[in-house]
Amino acid sequence: MKSNLDLVNETDNFPYYEDNPEKYTKLRSSYWEFHLRGGSGPHGYMPQYVFEKFVEMPWVVAWDMDFDKKTLTTGPGRQEDIIRQELEQAREKGVFEVLKTGWRNELYPIYGHNDPSEKTISMERAGSALFGINSYGVHMTVYLNTTQGMKIWVPRRAKNKQTYGGYLDNTVAGGLSTGEQPFECMIRECAEEASLPEHLVRSNAKPCGTVSYIHIRDERAGGETGLVQPECQHVYDMEVGADVILKPCDNEVEDFYLWTVKQVQEALAEGQFKPNCALVLLDFFVRHGILTGENEPDYIEIVSRLHRKMPFPTS
């Protein structure tokens, strides 16, 4: 059975320099820094083996590579086009599993560049973990208060999903694309995943801050392992009445369950939840007084670890 701190460690698993300088330095040295030309980088971490596969293709255009400092910087030309061409070539050649099976035709933003010719610089969502850039999303917990106590709507991911198929999830969640505002993203995801009408969400969903962490992917995420995934999730709560019934709308959700807090806690301890969704639920429990310093010996560390500083520029 997993403790609450185990759940945090499983997701926020990129080491902290302050805790173990030797471990941090050793792991950090195994990644290349990804930089945008003229930016306030680095903007991401790329594993050595991923870098080598890109070099072997070879590159479509010239990149600036410093083998002593292990830095990779976009070369001359429109930077978004450079990144897109590399990812499209890698997909066509079948170099990376995450591109072969996970291509979304969705763009994720890269912040912190100073190129006046490009208002925004983005990359295909499936390639974001290869470059290790910051990514952003929205997660909402839908709950109701009953005479038997609080109950939470919990979905099970479709077993055929490329990432964490069959795992439990937050009520509604999704990635934040370039140019999309968090709340509007949440509105869209609510309709697509849970058949929740727009007017209900706009009237009742409440923003509750963010949850952030730096995750190193394993085989459950699908495709390559060891990829760095720094993520910041915009968190929402929505209380509903007993008359609101959540139902799958697309093929990403298999079913919804209405569970007591105890049932949710048991499923968390059994490792049934997608790792980052466990963190969002712990944050929910903290805000609602379910997880406290009186009933959780690791309370202070857990709360602090739910809000890790993002490693790369965020705006």
Side-chain angles (χ1 to χ4, degrees):
M1 301 292 278
K2 298 180 180 181
S3 69
N4 290 325
L5 185 57
D6 289 337
L7 296 171
V8 174
N9 289 332
E10 184 179 21
T11 302
D12 187 38
N13 60 353
F14 195 93
Y16 287 72
Y17 178 83
E18 309 80 41
D19 292 344
N20 192 327
E22 183 178 352
K23 180 180 180 181
Y24 173 90
T25 303
K26 181 179 180 180
L27 179 65
R28 175 66 188 78
S29 67
S30 67
Y31 290 90
W32 280 65
E33 287 187 359
F34 162 58
H35 290 252
L36 290 173
R37 186 181 65 250
S40 54
H43 298 82
Y45 291 152
M46 177 182 288
Q48 176 71 32
Y49 81 91
V50 171
F51 171 80
E52 291 172 356
K53 285 187 175 183
F54 271 120
V55 172
E56 289 168 4
M57 283 197 301
W59 299 108
V60 177
V61 297
W63 289 66
D64 294 328
M65 296 176 286
D66 187 321
F67 284 83
D68 292 326
K69 296 181 179 178
K70 295 185 76 170
T71 60
L72 173 68
T73 307
T74 48
R78 190 170 182 272
Q79 298 187 84
E80 184 168 314
D81 289 343
I82 292 170
I83 298 167
R84 176 182 52 78
Q85 290 173 47
E86 302 298 354
L87 291 174
E88 287 179 346
Q89 177 186 234
R91 182 193 184 194
E92 290 169 3
K93 293 185 174 183
V95 177
F96 299 108
E97 189 66 26
V98 290
L99 301 183
K100 287 194 297 182
T101 61
W103 195 274
R104 304 285 193 100
N105 289 316
E106 295 178 28
L107 293 178
Y108 271 6
I110 311 171
Y111 296 115
H113 70 88
N114 298 312
D115 189 338
S117 68
E118 296 186 69
K119 184 177 180 181
T120 60
I121 298 178
S122 305
M123 73 166 62
E124 158 62 33
R125 174 175 177 171
S128 62
L130 293 172
F131 284 82
I133 65 169
N134 291 344
S135 60
Y136 306 84
V138 295
H139 283 240
M140 183 161 73
T141 303
V142 178
Y143 67 99
L144 63 153
N145 286 303
T146 74
T147 54
Q148 291 82 38
M150 177 186 288
K151 292 188 177 182
I152 298 171
W153 281 102
V154 177
R156 186 174 297 280
R157 296 163 69 86
K159 291 183 176 64
N160 61 355
K161 275 187 71 71
Q162 297 130 341
T163 60
Y164 296 97
Y167 277 74
L168 299 175
D169 209 326
N170 294 130
T171 313
V172 176
L176 190 59
S177 301
T178 298
E180 193 171 28
Q181 294 299 313
F183 193 69
E184 296 307 311
C185 177
M186 177 56 64
I187 296 291
R188 173 176 58 79
E189 294 290 349
C190 282
E192 292 176 358
E193 294 185 356
S195 306
L196 287 168
E198 180 176 340
H199 68 86
L200 178 72
V201 181
R202 288 195 182 279
S203 301
N204 294 280
K206 294 180 172 56
C208 301
T210 61
V211 168
S212 51
Y213 46 85
I214 306 177
H215 183 60
I216 302 175
R217 290 166 55 132
D218 59 25
E219 63 281 352
R220 295 172 298 173
E224 286 67 27
T225 60
L227 306 181
V228 177
Q229 204 160 359
E231 293 189 318
C232 178
Q233 309 295 353
H234 295 263
V235 176
Y236 296 84
D237 288 353
M238 186 168 76
E239 183 177 0
V240 296
D243 59 319
V244 176
I245 306 298
L246 277 65
K247 296 176 291 186
C249 184
D250 58 20
N251 59 2
E252 295 192 4
V253 176
E254 181 179 294
D255 202 358
F256 278 96
Y257 314 116
L258 185 57
W259 281 355
T260 64
V261 169
K262 183 179 180 181
Q263 286 175 301
V264 173
Q265 290 173 322
E266 289 173 347
L268 284 167
E270 292 167 358
Q272 293 191 47
F273 276 88
K274 183 172 176 274
N276 66 334
C277 297
L279 265 61
V280 173
L281 280 167
L282 292 179
D283 179 67
F284 177 86
F285 290 160
V286 169
R287 288 184 287 99
H288 288 265
I290 297 167
L291 187 66
T292 69
E294 285 70 39
N295 61 28
E296 172 53 68
D298 298 306
Y299 181 75
I300 293 176
E301 181 174 358
I302 288 170
V303 173
S304 65
R305 295 272 299 282
L306 294 175
H307 308 285
R308 186 167 187 172
K309 183 179 180 180
M310 299 294 277
F312 311 124
T314 55
S315 62

